[in-house]
Amino acid sequence: MVNGYQATSLKEALKILAKESVTPYSGGTDLMIDPEEHATFLFLARISEMKNIIEDTEYLRIGAACTFTEIIENELVPEILKEAAAQIAAPAIRNLATIGGNICNGSAKGDSALILFATDAKLRLVSSRGERVLPIAEFYLGRKKTALKSDELLVEILIDRINLSNYYYKKVGARDALAISRVSFAAILNVADGKIVNCMTAFGAVSDIIIRRPDIDAMLVGKTTKEAKVVKKEYIAAYDQAIIPIKGRISAEYRKAVCMNLLRDFLESNGI
Amino acid sequence: MMINFILNGQKVVSTAKANERLLDILRTEFACTGVKCGCKEGECGACSVIIDGKLVNSCMVAMGYVESCTVMTIEGYRKTERFAVLDTSYASVSAVQCGFCTPGMVLASECILAKNPNPTEAEIREGISGNLCRCTGYNAIVQAISIAAKEGKGLW
Ligand SMILES: Cc1cc2nc3c(=O)[nH]c(=O)nc-3n(C[C@H](O)[C@H](O)[C@H](O)COP(=O)(O)OP(=O)(O)OC[C@H]3O[C@@H](n4cnc5c(N)ncnc54)[C@H](O)[C@@H]3O)c2cc1C
Ligand code: FES
Ligand code: FES
């Protein structure tokens, strides 16, 4: 085919990527909005190594070329990610759009990327030179800028197999189904033997990069709900400082206010 | 250097470039003008087609993606028994006004019923949530799909 390669194995795709000037094409729902006339696409949808959803002893491994429909229908996927995926666009977009594309577009508005931040997911990046595993927070460098090298593909997303069932997720958008999120918030809080063992929060679409601050969340870890209430004010103040909405947007203050409300609601829903 | 796929049950070969939109090629090279263009942004669903059994917006698909796939447009779907049931049910409640959204809406209806022959109203509304209609206000369309589910027993 002219202006395109359809790879059927990862090895083949990496070889093409190393040699040619091609754009990886997963579901195409970002690329086709405004396709470059001379772009040569490297189609990923038939690479079986990028289509699996499997568990090993450490991780749930999601292939980067899995569509949101496939993620919603898979029984291994945690509810928090399914819920976020189910709220993305409409079925016909979810049948194309992939989780890998949602990350590699580098947007702070990615609804599945938000969940991957909240769960401290890792990304397996592979090139013909070798491979590396990067925490998702290190993958995003700035507005639409990522650490992806031109000869690398995101092959898998690795999610730690910790308990994710006590989660909080809200997307506050202009129009429900089709809206690219305006503000979104995801959090997980686990209590064991009366003490908070982990608290993980992430704020989407409010800044150039999704905001994830484990250092602030650490204020609540190791405490009972009662003790957490004592530091609640301090905790909220820390986020009030940390969330710097994109300047120059009329809605900046609105976005921030929504974030703070969602954070409070999350704490209250956990008795804090 | 060609792109091979199955269009409405027939093997076809396209000379299009891999980065061209399926929507444009279906309309120009294959004269499938039932595939409508409303936005080219994945928002309206007028360009819906079924690829390998799944509803997709053909404006969001590059030609190279369909290599070795099965593509069904309204032109092919028209020849099925299932279409006849939907055609009757849409007509019975006047679910077609200007008709611009109808090809996409009918294919979305097919995908709803193929997945679930007895959908609830909420499932129907979710299934057509990516297909905009400026005329009917959707209620008649939702009704038409419910009627097809009842009348088409055994077909889905
Ligand atoms: C109508 C509509 C509604 C939408 N609604 C939402 C929404 O509610 N929430 C939301 O988050 N998004 C939404 N989106 C945006 C889009 O659908 C998602 O971001 C989607 O996940 C992108 O995935 P894709 O596979 O289609 O990406 P593609 O367009 O294939 O790729 C996106 C980018 O990532 C690169 N890339 C893709 N995969 C890889 C890989 N494995 N390795 C290296 N690079 C790669 C590509 O080169 C490209 O630069 C919407 C889009 C449309 C058209
Ligand atoms: S033309 Fe494809 S969704 Fe509107
Ligand atoms: S009948 Fe006119 S847009 Fe639906």
Side-chain angles (χ1 to χ4, degrees), chain A residues 201-212:
Chain A
T201 65
F203 301 84
V206 68
S207 193
D208 284 344
I209 302 179
I210 291 168
I211 296 172
R212 165 93 180 97

Side-chain angles (χ1 to χ4, degrees), chain A residues 21-51:
Chain A
S21 165
V22 292
T23 306
Y25 179 115
S26 193
T29 61
D30 281 319
L31 287 171
M32 294 307 286
I33 293 286
D34 190 15
E36 266 182 63
E37 206 192 318
H38 302 291
T40 296
F41 290 137
L42 173 61
F43 295 95
L44 308 176
R46 281 174 196 266
I47 301 176
S48 58
E49 294 99 320
M50 295 174 69
K51 295 291 291 180

Side-chain angles (χ1 to χ4, degrees), chain A residues 24 26-31 50 68 98 101-102 104-105 111 154 171 179, chain B residues 42:
Chain A
S26 193
T29 61
D30 281 319
L31 287 171
M50 295 174 69
F68 291 126
T98 68
N102 202 239
C104 293
N105 68 21
D111 287 323
L154 168 59
K171 164 170 164 179

Side-chain angles (χ1 to χ4, degrees), chain A residues 52-53 60-64 66 71 77 81 99 155-157 159:
Chain A
N52 297 322
I53 301 181
L60 170 68
R61 311 173 79 99
I62 302 178
C66 290
I71 284 169
V77 174
L81 183 55
I99 189 165
V155 171
E156 278 183 316
I157 294 111
I159 302 177

